[in-house]
Amino acid sequence: MENFDRRNIPKHIGIIMDGNRKWAKENNKNISEGYLQGQQVFDEVCLYCLEMRIPYLTTFAFSLENLKRSNDEIRALLDLLFERLRDKQWFIENNIRVYFAGVISLFTKDEQRILQDLSTSTSKCDGLSVTIALNYDGHEEIVNALNQAIKQRGLIKVVTKDTIERYLYTSHLPPLDLIIRTANIQRLTRFLLWKSSYAECVFFEKYWPDFKKEDFLKAINDYEKRERRYGK
């Protein structure tokens, strides 16, 4: 790995992993093969973060809006995803702690057990904290946090920013420093809206399955060159 200034390396990276379907179509493969290749790139990026000692990575794997897709495609995507998440040994061996953010209750009981088992099994890992956003929507996360605060109205007199932070799905995470998005899409699409207020963004034209180590390094280099003023 290249020699970076440790003071400027982002602590929390978010990745919107777009282009799996388009990659499959342009490479004459079925959609499942596109998502499978995308999973392999996800594994590689986790290892890049470990190598660079980046402590937090959050990936947008499945949004609430994705539920509008065909049942066949949703099932193909989720079957591959949960098959991957059953392999908890890979995460343990690489010292990766796994969290999930989103409306997890929409999954089946068996799927919820898989997520809980992976979270519990990796709870003592401290090399990298990976949060996978599933059935996630940034608006819904904030609305849910407000509703949770309202339920505590006997204990909370005024809702503050700290109150909302406490009830977010991503309450365990620091603010995002860097957001990477592939497939030439240059918007956040409700990804970690609360956490991304001062995040720097780097966009790539290539699809997620084609994302390489040199692309990851380019994003880090771009981030290092930017002056973060936080509104000052």
Side-chain angles (χ1 to χ4, degrees), residues 64 67 103-109 111-112 135:
L64 281 176
L67 292 172
V103 190
I104 304 305
S105 60
L106 291 179
F107 290 117
T108 67
K109 295 298 183 182
E111 290 168 341
Q112 290 181 50
N135 284 343

Side-chain angles (χ1 to χ4, degrees), residues 34-45:
Y35 286 121
L36 184 59
Q37 179 64 26
Q39 286 182 8
Q40 293 173 0
V41 176
F42 163 79
D43 288 356
E44 292 167 0
V45 168

Side-chain angles (χ1 to χ4, degrees), residues 178-209:
L178 171 64
I179 295 174
I180 297 170
R181 186 164 193 172
T182 53
N184 200 28
I185 302 175
Q186 300 185 22
R187 60 177 181 268
L188 297 185
T189 317
R190 302 184 185 178
F191 178 59
L192 267 64
L193 295 179
W194 188 271
K195 298 285 185 178
S196 63
S197 55
Y198 287 106
E200 299 293 329
C201 299
V202 178
F203 302 106
F204 289 88
E205 289 190 10
K206 62 174 53 180
Y207 302 134
W208 177 246

Side-chain angles (χ1 to χ4, degrees), residues 118-132:
L118 181 55
S119 295
T120 302
S121 298
T122 60
S123 61
K124 294 183 179 180
C125 298
D126 59 5
L128 171 66
S129 174
V130 172
T131 300
I132 302 174

Side-chain angles (χ1 to χ4, degrees), residues 47-82:
L47 298 180
Y48 304 157
C49 289
L50 283 165
E51 191 174 352
M52 297 188 71
R53 299 197 301 279
I54 294 168
Y56 298 98
L57 171 66
T58 300
T59 61
F60 206 170
F62 192 80
S63 73
L64 281 176
E65 291 181 325
N66 290 154
L67 292 172
K68 299 174 184 177
R69 297 178 181 179
S70 71
N71 290 334
D72 288 344
E73 182 180 343
I74 292 171
R75 196 64 263 161
L77 191 164
L78 292 180
D79 285 348
L80 281 173
L81 174 67
F82 281 97

Side-chain angles (χ1 to χ4, degrees), residues 8 18-19 27 69 71 77 84 87 96 179 185 216 232:
N8 294 327
D18 277 314
N27 287 277
R69 297 178 181 179
N71 290 334
L77 191 164
R84 174 67 189 87
D87 183 14
I96 297 171
I179 295 174
I185 302 175
F216 187 78
K232 296 179 183 178

Side-chain angles (χ1 to χ4, degrees), residues 204-217:
F204 289 88
E205 289 190 10
K206 62 174 53 180
Y207 302 134
W208 177 246
D210 285 328
F211 192 79
K212 305 296 182 185
K213 189 173 187 177
E214 55 263 30
D215 302 312
F216 187 78
L217 295 177

Side-chain angles (χ1 to χ4, degrees), residues 162-176:
D162 288 341
T163 308
I164 296 173
E165 280 274 1
R166 188 186 317 160
Y167 292 106
L168 291 173
Y169 299 135
T170 52
S171 61
H172 61 289
L173 292 172
L176 276 166

